[in-house]
Amino acid sequence: MIGKKVLETDPIPLVKVKPLLEERETVHELSYEQNLALDHVTKFSKISVDNAEKLVGELEEIIKKTQAIKIADVMPEDMDDMRLIFAKERGSHKKEEMENILKIVSKYREEEE
């Protein structure tokens, strides 16, 4: 990779990837990997872009941004899902904190229905 380097990285929710790929698709044909990514985003995005941004903002008051984005992508329904999300994370989260996160997520899930 001569002459290429990463200038910055900033995690974004899954639903924000879809408009980026669709915009790129209008300019030129997507690569195989980009088509797979677009297909994945179309199938698995569960909330709107606006609600995802609000949800991440609300969750950032409780947890790190990367964790908040992961939760916005998965939209966990119960404590088992929450434990799976935080399984590889260092440190532990209190049960009350995880219940509070689930309440916030369920509020946004109801808005989408």
Side-chain angles (χ1 to χ4, degrees):
M1 293 184 48
I2 298 173
K4 292 184 180 184
K5 64 179 179 176
V6 176
L7 299 177
E8 70 178 83
T9 61
D10 187 29
I12 60 173
L14 191 63
V15 294
K16 288 182 87 176
V17 173
K18 186 176 181 180
L20 295 173
L21 287 172
E22 287 174 340
E23 178 184 322
R24 187 176 180 114
E25 189 176 36
T26 60
V27 176
H28 55 79
E29 190 174 332
L30 296 178
S31 69
Y32 175 74
E33 291 83 4
Q34 291 168 333
N35 275 320
L36 287 177
L38 181 59
D39 185 48
H40 177 81
V41 169
T42 304
K43 288 179 183 175
F44 294 105
S45 46
K46 299 180 180 185
I47 60 175
S48 68
V49 175
D50 294 335
N51 281 345
E53 289 176 353
K54 291 177 192 174
L55 175 59
V56 169
E58 206 168 323
L59 290 175
E60 275 187 286
E61 297 172 7
I62 303 170
I63 54 178
K64 293 185 280 184
K65 183 177 182 176
T66 55
Q67 294 171 333
I69 289 172
K70 198 178 296 184
I71 288 173
D73 290 343
V74 176
M75 297 292 286
E77 296 180 6
D78 54 23
M79 289 299 274
D80 292 334
D81 293 343
M82 290 293 293
R83 285 189 199 96
L84 288 172
I85 290 172
F86 293 118
K88 290 187 176 181
E89 300 289 330
R90 291 184 179 229
S92 61
H93 294 278
K94 298 175 186 162
K95 185 177 179 181
E96 297 84 25
E97 187 177 85
M98 291 173 72
E99 288 172 350
N100 188 22
I101 292 169
L102 280 174
K103 286 179 188 175
I104 294 169
V105 169
S106 66
K107 177 177 74 172
Y108 283 95
R109 184 180 293 108
E110 289 171 3
E111 284 182 21
E112 290 297 321
E113 293 175 355

